[in-house]
Amino acid sequence: VQLQASGGGLVQAGGSLRLVCAASGRTLSNYAVGWFRQAPGKEREFVAAVRRSGGNTYYADSVKGRFTISRDNAKNTVYLQMNGLKPEDTAVYYCAGNSGWPISSTLFRQASYDYWGQGTQVTVSS
């Protein structure tokens, strides 16, 4: 499967963006999908994940209550709705796919994902 992340941009603090992870090549419903981000000079970190059916979602503590991950398997797409953006959310955001049946704790780990998109830049100004 090929994944492409889009929807990034420049937004003021408190604003919103919706990131889109679009899949091609294979049906995205066969994959758990995660969002990760990497800020300049920092390690890439987990943001959110959703299971194949969309019924279970997981979030980093830093984004709980502000970000929402969802998926539309009919459109082969996963979304990350980001509200209440803060300057510290500035990063390149990546979506990634896991083709197995991972236990919940592994969805937070980059190594659990087989496929990665190219990233989209999110910049939040203060």
Side-chain angles (χ1 to χ4, degrees):
V1 66
Q2 290 79 47
L3 301 176
Q4 182 162 355
S6 63
L10 173 64
V11 64
Q12 289 188 332
S16 298
L17 284 173
R18 187 178 77 160
L19 303 186
V20 179
C21 179
S24 60
R26 292 190 179 180
T27 303
L28 194 58
S29 61
N30 293 329
Y31 300 82
V33 174
W35 284 97
F36 291 77
R37 67 187 181 185
Q38 187 167 19
K42 294 188 177 181
E43 299 283 327
R44 190 156 52 184
E45 64 178 4
F46 171 79
V47 175
V50 61
R51 287 201 173 276
R52 296 185 180 202
S53 67
N56 295 91
T57 56
Y58 308 86
Y59 298 94
D61 289 343
S62 60
V63 306
K64 277 181 184 176
R66 300 188 298 122
F67 291 10
T68 302
I69 188 170
S70 62
R71 65 191 303 157
D72 185 340
N73 286 336
K75 295 184 178 179
N76 240 19
T77 302
V78 170
Y79 305 99
L80 184 68
Q81 179 66 42
M82 306 187 296
N83 298 329
L85 283 162
K86 304 175 181 180
E88 52 263 44
D89 294 318
T90 295
V92 177
Y93 283 71
Y94 301 88
C95 62
N98 176 302
S99 59
W101 296 95
I103 60 175
S104 300
S105 61
T106 64
L107 287 171
F108 298 83
R109 303 202 312 244
Q110 298 180 56
S112 299
Y113 294 85
D114 312 295
Y115 304 93
W116 289 82
Q118 85 290 359
T120 185
Q121 175 71 47
V122 171
T123 303
V124 184
S125 63
S126 57

